Amino acid sequence: MEDAIRFAHAIGAKLVNVHPGDAPRGEDEMWSICVRRTEKAIRKLSELARSLGVRLSVENRNGCDPHLRKFGVVPHELLSLKESLGKELCFTLDWGHVLTLKDDPLDFAQKL
């Protein structure tokens, strides 16, 4: 992702999209580690992006994979990243991912 941010800067792109992490389902200890590492990684990427004049955008995940619990599936998970990292963090909303959860896309967006 660091290379992608540097490439975005080199070609004049202003925004880079990233996906939060995931962990095997049913492993609560791994989930806590996933959340901490996701926040740490996105903070590091955000600092690099800011230094190069590129904004970072975090995309919401889907909940379809029966083997993975993905971070950033629901609004409160994404908002926890924004709270931790600051207002410069953007969101990319994948409506298909929202629909896999049988959520209302407008409600999802309003929560963000």
Side-chain angles (χ1 to χ4, degrees), residues 21-110:
D22 47 55
R25 285 197 186 273
E27 295 188 26
D28 291 337
E29 182 178 331
M30 287 300 296
W31 180 246
S32 297
I33 292 168
C34 169
V35 171
R36 285 193 311 272
R37 287 185 176 174
T38 295
E39 288 178 355
K40 183 178 178 180
I42 291 178
R43 179 176 289 108
K44 182 178 177 184
L45 294 172
S46 183
E47 290 168 0
L48 173 63
R50 187 176 334 135
S51 75
L52 296 174
V54 177
R55 292 192 75 179
L56 203 62
S57 185
V58 178
E59 182 175 330
N60 62 306
R61 308 287 302 275
N62 68 49
C64 291
D65 193 321
H67 305 291
L68 294 177
R69 183 174 175 197
K70 299 176 183 179
F71 187 73
V73 172
V74 292
H76 76 268
E77 292 172 350
L78 294 170
L79 289 170
S80 74
L81 288 174
K82 192 163 190 91
E83 183 177 312
S84 172
L85 299 171
K87 64 183 178 182
E88 71 270 357
L89 186 70
C90 299
F91 296 126
T92 299
L93 298 180
D94 184 319
W95 300 125
H97 291 173
V98 174
L99 293 173
T100 65
L101 304 170
K102 300 191 178 7
D103 283 350
D104 179 296
L106 181 57
D107 183 55
F108 191 99
Q110 287 175 330

